[in-house]
Amino acid sequence: MNTKILLPEDQIPKQWYNIIPDMPGPLAPVINPRTLQPVTPDDLLPIFPMALIEQEVSHQRWIDIPDEVRDIYRLWRPSPLYRAHRLEKALGTPARIFYKHEGVSPAGSHKPNTAIPQAWYNKQAGIRRLATETGAGQWGSSLALACNFFGMECTVYMVKVSCTQKPYRKSMMQLWGAKVIPSPSEYTNAGRAILAHDPDNMGSLGIAISEAVEDAATHDDTCYSLGSVLNHVCMHQTVIGQEAKAQIEIAGCYPDVVIACCGGGSNFAGLAFPFIADRAAGKNVRCVAVEPTSCPTLTKGVYAFDYGDQAKMAPIAMMYTLGHDFIPPGIHAGGLRYHGESPLVSQLLHAGQIEAKAYTQNACFEGAMLFAQSEGIVPAPESSHAIRAAIDEAVLAKEEGKEKTILFGLSGHGQLDMVAYDAYLSGALEDYEYPEEKIRESLERLPKVSL
Amino acid sequence: MNTKILLPEDQIPKQWYNIIPDMPGPLAPVINPRTLQPVTPDDLLPIFPMALIEQEVSHQRWIDIPDEVRDIYRLWRPSPLYRAHRLEKALGTPARIFYKHEGVSPAGSHKPNTAIPQAWYNKQAGIRRLATETGAGQWGSSLALACNFFGMECTVYMVKVSCTQKPYRKSMMQLWGAKVIPSPSEYTNAGRAILAHDPDNMGSLGIAISEAVEDAATHDDTCYSLGSVLNHVCMHQTVIGQEAKAQIEIAGCYPDVVIACCGGGSNFAGLAFPFIADRAAGKNVRCVAVEPTSCPTLTKGVYAFDYGDQAKMAPIAMMYTLGHDFIPPGIHAGGLRYHGESPLVSQLLHAGQIEAKAYTQNACFEGAMLFAQSEGIVPAPESSHAIRAAIDEAVLAKEEGKEKTILFGLSGHGQLDMVAYDAYLSGALEDYEYPEEKIRESLERLPKVSL
């Protein structure tokens, strides 16, 4: 029996799936943080090209993928769908477990799926340089890769402490030609203001976002690029779910449950949205977003208007949030440490179309170890959340004696995250209690939006 | 035009190709280092199972791959063959460049191709535990993976300085259940003798080999496992070349030149041997083994009997050698720092069946950068040697205005070797002059074998 289900390159999707026309009800407006009025395209033009602004609000269900983008996707897409025979055996489950492996991209995660088109649309708009922020470096390295392919410059504001603690992804960005600037930096007003008052500040994702947005807004030839949360970013990731549908059909299956980890939301959206589309057509497929208990946006947050960033410079969106100044504990799944959530994913959860689940990091690494020992692949700490949830579904199927088809997203490999495994193996990995008090305090500072 | 040429799992080779019956002349005997007489199977039985000893000397051209081994190969094989469209464009060459990507294995290199069958044959022989040595960790992690799949214990003697400098692959071994022992250790006589006299000794590959062999020889339930050099190891790797032949045929091509990096020789053998077999059938294919100028075994060594290891405990073989006590400079391509060479590869070179070429590490990293920027994939420092040679062939084709088909082996990815790229990018990478004096001295101490 085959382990991998592969598709030929001509089956790389030719269109992205835009879920907006299929959403349960209209989208809430996005609010300008200065005027507290709905954002207009003109508000966004200093930092995004018009093509991406149009995608952000488009009601067209299918949007063509440019040939130049598909040609680069060919370097690793279609990504393989695996049947987890060995994991099933290890669990003794009657469930069929499939996983879609996005760690095969050159950057090792799903992030290039959107980095490539974002760079391309900017290039088409005459933009010469992209600025962005990165924490652990997954997004920064993906955008560096994308800019490299289109001959664009790339400036990555990398949280200063990560530059030291995670030097490898910094090197990958440099290898692909990006300029990596430890943030806070002397390059921006935002950075200078912080350093003037605190020269030893080690940075945060919020500060790095402020620097990257300022850089883009103050340079005509430069735009800003975001790796998750936004509608068009979620849409670019739908190549994952479209391929997975074709592949699981080849295996003669359809999933009862689709599981993906959820930080800003684009990884979950990428795998799940094409299946959510099937629900309208009567398919009974559950979609489960998995997050860490230490940053439980979907499971413990509120559905409300909130700022996208701590500095209150990013637009205000209707989403699940823990409050814009909630700072989660320093877990190893850095990609899941966001106080908010994709507005699309949030609205789907609020409408009961999807489910959410949270796990502690020790529970996730326990699952990751079993996965690595049965399937071989070392998963990223973020992906381990989906693995854990998939294992629990498979164990439940065993207890109930039910056949069931489980599909989960392996968003990336973990070969650059071995420090986290060291911590787990040595018993040094901390589990954080749900920080109820901190979240309650933070939620008191939500913006007051009245439309 | 397609970028990747994929094969379905049923085209994973069903047999390994054993080149012994097709060698130009009989093999020189392997010599017992204590008796200076030819090694007998009985000499090897304390450390290898009979099935592998038989493979080592077999004259059977095709040897069946056990189903259990092929089932594990399915986790990543057949590996993709890439057409390097973007690299060709960057070079402006009329040459067609293909590369076989072995970095897709769970351990990130070609090494599991032999680790899996070695573990399996040992398991069949009732062996409970395997002992081995590792430097940077590529081999140790591959054997850990293999033992994990068959429920065997794995003890890896890891050069002490590498445990500190390369902690990530150590963690991968532990993740897959191996016991990693910094060498020299208190576990063996060899280790204790060194520590008694030099407690701060940071270890070497030679010492680690001695410890692993002693461990295997002194425990009935334990065998030793070697990651390159030996005939059966080269043979296990021929799945690479067999698949590549089928894939390049799908592309309607046949290579004019096949290029692979060469340390102990198994990577080169794996890709090249199936093509060398075609030479007898009249095909005009050149095969080029590429090594570092700092350890120029094939290009500056002598073809002579020499010990396999510095401690003179391993068998003596007829091979290209720089002398068993030659210690190459500390280049980043750790997998190419071996004083000797596979006897099969050596004999082929001596008979003029293959070519050899050497490059400095800066030249290789320059090629690796161009490759990473055009093809996306970050190559292992070892693989960068093949890349450099392939680029030079492609540039030559351009100068000569010749169409030409070039196939090279991408033996592994370099995401765990970013320290080396950092050194290159910061200009801190040293090129070592060909250490003529050191080699001359070392060659004076070859063993005197008279048969």
Side-chain angles (χ1 to χ4, degrees):
Chain A
M1 194 156 35
N2 279 351
T3 293
K4 303 178 295 299
I5 300 151
L6 305 173
L7 295 177
E9 283 172 28
D10 61 10
Q11 288 190 47
I12 294 171
K14 294 189 174 60
Q15 298 179 311
W16 291 298
Y17 168 57
N18 177 19
I19 201 172
I20 291 178
D22 297 328
M23 286 294 286
L27 304 195
V30 173
I31 306 297
N32 184 315
R34 282 181 302 277
T35 64
L36 294 186
Q37 291 303 307
V39 158
T40 65
D42 281 352
D43 291 339
L44 299 175
L45 263 180
I47 58 167
F48 293 119
M50 188 48 87
L52 292 177
I53 296 171
E54 283 170 2
Q55 287 186 3
E56 187 65 16
V57 296
S58 171
H59 281 256
Q60 200 180 318
R61 187 171 283 113
W62 296 99
I63 292 184
D64 288 345
I65 303 178
D67 285 343
E68 293 83 350
V69 171
R70 288 184 79 241
D71 274 350
I72 295 181
Y73 280 169
R74 287 169 192 270
L75 291 173
W76 73 96
R77 305 212 69 86
S79 68
L81 182 78
Y82 277 78
R83 172 80 185 265
H85 291 300
R86 288 171 192 276
L87 178 61
E88 291 170 16
K89 204 172 155 196
L91 294 169
T93 179
R96 289 170 293 270
I97 307 176
F98 294 87
Y99 57 96
K100 180 75 169 159
H101 186 7
E102 291 295 310
V104 297
S105 82
S109 77
H110 66 294
K111 294 284 186 188
N113 294 333
T114 184
I116 303 294
Q118 286 194 49
W120 190 82
Y121 286 113
N122 275 286
K123 176 86 175 178
Q124 292 307 104
I127 295 299
R128 202 182 54 77
R129 182 169 69 97
L130 288 178
T132 197
E133 73 287 336
T134 202
Q138 279 117 325
W139 170 242
S141 55
S142 299
L143 194 66
L145 175 75
C147 287
N148 159 76
F149 281 135
F150 295 117
M152 300 173 75
E153 288 182 29
C154 184
T155 304
V156 182
Y157 292 88
M158 185 171 189
V159 177
K160 198 173 279 176
V161 65
S162 297
C163 287
T164 322
Q165 285 178 354
K166 316 235 169 179
Y168 282 13
R169 284 212 182 83
K170 182 184 74 175
S171 316
M172 282 175 71
M173 292 182 243
Q174 291 169 332
L175 173 62
W176 287 320
K179 182 170 178 184
V180 181
I181 298 178
S183 165
S185 78
E186 294 287 352
Y187 287 80
T188 63
N189 289 329
R192 282 188 294 268
I194 288 160
L195 290 174
H197 152 263
D198 178 10
D200 298 326
N201 189 299
M202 290 308 283
S204 72
L205 206 54
I207 296 169
I209 292 175
S210 303
E211 289 206 275
V213 170
E214 181 187 326
D215 185 338
T218 54
H219 293 92
D220 280 349
D221 64 351
T222 302
C223 272
Y224 171 71
S225 190
L226 190 65
S228 191
V229 181
L230 301 178
N231 301 346
H232 69 274
V233 180
C234 291
M235 183 187 77
H236 296 158
Q237 293 292 354
T238 60
V239 291
I240 304 173
Q242 291 183 64
E243 289 176 6
K245 271 174 77 168
Q247 288 165 310
I248 208 163
E249 193 180 327
I250 290 173
C253 295
Y254 189 86
D256 295 293
V257 57
V258 174
I259 300 168
C261 69
C262 202
S266 70
N267 171 63
F268 172 79
L271 182 65
F273 281 8
F275 289 97
I276 292 170
D278 288 353
R279 290 172 60 98
K283 284 278 192 187
N284 187 20
V285 51
R286 293 167 52 215
C287 294
V288 183
V290 192
E291 63 184 10
T293 49
S294 53
C295 188
T297 316
L298 296 170
T299 51
K300 302 286 182 183
V302 296
Y303 187 55
F305 277 109
D306 198 6
Y307 298 99
D309 67 335
Q310 196 185 344
K312 306 186 194 179
M313 290 178 62
I316 294 166
M318 188 70 176
M319 59 183 177
Y320 277 90
T321 179
L322 298 166
H324 56 273
D325 55 8
F326 172 78
I327 297 178
I331 56 166
H332 285 279
L336 306 183
R337 290 178 72 240
Y338 184 56
H339 73 275
E341 187 58 64
S342 146
L344 293 173
V345 172
S346 296
Q347 189 179 349
L348 288 165
L349 179 65
H350 193 66
Q353 290 290 312
I354 64 170
E355 303 166 30
K357 215 165 170 179
Y359 285 101
T360 64
Q361 61 178 349
N362 273 299
C364 293
F365 276 95
E366 185 190 16
M369 290 287 293
L370 179 63
F371 181 77
Q373 290 176 357
S374 48
E375 297 291 311
I377 301 166
V378 180
E382 289 82 4
S383 314
S384 74
H385 289 72
I387 292 170
R388 177 72 225 198
I391 288 173
D392 283 4
E393 287 284 346
V395 169
L396 187 65
K398 182 182 177 182
E399 287 166 6
E400 297 177 344
K402 275 190 196 163
E403 282 203 16
K404 188 196 286 187
T405 299
I406 299 166
L407 166 64
F408 74 86
L410 186 70
S411 56
H413 73 66
Q415 295 200 1
L416 292 177
D417 302 284
M418 295 313 299
V419 168
Y421 285 93
D422 272 351
Y424 174 76
L425 288 165
S426 65
L429 207 61
E430 281 184 70
D431 275 342
Y432 297 95
E433 294 296 310
Y434 156 56
E436 193 157 356
E437 185 59 28
K438 245 176 100 190
I439 294 172
R440 199 177 315 119
E441 280 174 32
S442 179
L443 287 176
E444 284 166 11
R445 290 184 289 274
L446 293 186
K448 315 272 177 277
V449 175
S450 55
L451 296 172
Chain B
M1 195 153 36
N2 279 351
T3 293
K4 303 178 295 298
I5 300 152
L6 305 174
L7 295 177
E9 282 171 31
D10 60 11
Q11 288 189 47
I12 294 171
K14 295 190 173 58
Q15 297 179 310
W16 290 298
Y17 168 57
N18 177 19
I19 200 171
I20 292 177
D22 297 329
M23 286 296 285
L27 305 194
V30 174
I31 307 296
N32 183 317
R34 283 181 301 276
T35 64
L36 294 185
Q37 291 302 307
V39 158
T40 64
D42 280 353
D43 290 340
L44 299 174
L45 263 179
I47 59 167
F48 293 119
M50 187 49 87
L52 292 177
I53 296 171
E54 283 170 3
Q55 287 185 2
E56 187 66 14
V57 297
S58 171
H59 280 256
Q60 201 180 316
R61 186 169 285 113
W62 296 100
I63 292 183
D64 289 345
I65 304 178
D67 285 344
E68 293 83 349
V69 171
R70 288 184 79 240
D71 274 351
I72 294 181
Y73 280 169
R74 288 169 191 269
L75 291 173
W76 72 96
R77 303 210 72 84
S79 68
L81 181 78
Y82 277 78
R83 171 80 185 268
H85 291 300
R86 287 170 193 275
L87 178 61
E88 291 171 17
K89 204 172 155 197
L91 294 169
T93 180
R96 290 171 291 271
I97 307 176
F98 294 87
Y99 57 96
K100 180 76 170 159
H101 187 6
E102 291 295 309
V104 296
S105 82
S109 78
H110 66 294
K111 294 285 186 189
N113 295 332
T114 185
I116 303 295
Q118 286 195 49
W120 190 81
Y121 286 112
N122 274 287
K123 177 85 176 179
Q124 294 307 106
I127 296 299
R128 203 182 55 77
R129 181 168 71 96
L130 287 179
T132 196
E133 73 288 336
T134 203
Q138 279 116 327
W139 171 242
S141 55
S142 299
L143 194 67
L145 175 75
C147 287
N148 160 74
F149 282 136
F150 295 118
M152 300 173 76
E153 287 182 29
C154 185
T155 305
V156 182
Y157 292 88
M158 185 172 189
V159 177
K160 198 174 278 175
V161 64
S162 298
C163 287
T164 322
Q165 286 179 353
K166 315 236 169 177
Y168 282 12
R169 284 212 181 82
K170 183 185 73 173
S171 316
M172 281 174 72
M173 293 181 244
Q174 291 169 332
L175 172 63
W176 287 319
K179 182 170 178 183
V180 181
I181 299 178
S183 165
S185 78
E186 294 286 354
Y187 286 81
T188 65
N189 289 328
R192 283 187 294 267
I194 287 160
L195 291 173
H197 152 262
D198 178 11
D200 297 326
N201 190 298
M202 289 309 281
S204 73
L205 206 53
I207 296 169
I209 292 175
S210 304
E211 290 206 274
V213 170
E214 180 186 327
D215 185 339
T218 54
H219 293 91
D220 281 351
D221 63 351
T222 303
C223 272
Y224 171 70
S225 190
L226 191 65
S228 191
V229 181
L230 301 179
N231 301 347
H232 69 274
V233 180
C234 290
M235 183 186 77
H236 295 158
Q237 293 292 354
T238 60
V239 291
I240 303 173
Q242 291 184 65
E243 288 176 7
K245 271 173 78 167
Q247 287 165 312
I248 207 163
E249 193 180 326
I250 291 173
C253 295
Y254 188 86
D256 296 292
V257 57
V258 174
I259 300 168
C261 68
C262 200
S266 71
N267 172 63
F268 172 79
L271 183 64
F273 281 7
F275 289 97
I276 292 171
D278 287 353
R279 289 171 61 97
K283 285 277 193 188
N284 187 19
V285 52
R286 295 166 52 215
C287 294
V288 182
V290 192
E291 63 185 9
T293 49
S294 53
C295 188
T297 316
L298 295 169
T299 52
K300 302 286 182 182
V302 296
Y303 187 55
F305 277 110
D306 197 8
Y307 297 101
D309 68 334
Q310 198 186 341
K312 307 187 194 179
M313 291 178 63
I316 294 167
M318 186 71 175
M319 61 183 177
Y320 279 91
T321 178
L322 298 166
H324 55 273
D325 54 8
F326 172 79
I327 297 177
I331 56 167
H332 284 280
L336 306 183
R337 292 177 70 240
Y338 183 56
H339 73 274
E341 187 56 64
S342 146
L344 292 173
V345 172
S346 296
Q347 189 180 347
L348 288 166
L349 179 65
H350 193 65
Q353 290 289 311
I354 64 170
E355 304 165 32
K357 216 165 171 179
Y359 285 101
T360 63
Q361 61 178 349
N362 273 299
C364 293
F365 276 96
E366 187 191 14
M369 289 287 293
L370 179 63
F371 180 78
Q373 290 175 357
S374 48
E375 296 292 311
I377 301 166
V378 180
E382 290 81 4
S383 315
S384 74
H385 289 71
I387 292 170
R388 177 72 225 199
I391 288 173
D392 283 3
E393 288 284 345
V395 169
L396 187 65
K398 182 183 177 181
E399 287 166 6
E400 297 178 345
K402 274 189 196 161
E403 283 204 14
K404 190 195 285 185
T405 299
I406 300 165
L407 166 64
F408 75 87
L410 186 71
S411 55
H413 73 66
Q415 296 200 0
L416 293 177
D417 301 284
M418 295 313 299
V419 168
Y421 284 93
D422 272 350
Y424 174 76
L425 288 166
S426 65
L429 207 60
E430 280 184 69
D431 274 341
Y432 297 94
E433 293 298 309
Y434 157 55
E436 194 157 355
E437 185 59 27
K438 245 176 102 188
I439 294 171
R440 200 176 314 119
E441 280 174 32
S442 177
L443 287 177
E444 284 164 13
R445 290 183 290 273
L446 294 185
K448 314 275 179 271
V449 175
S450 53
L451 296 173

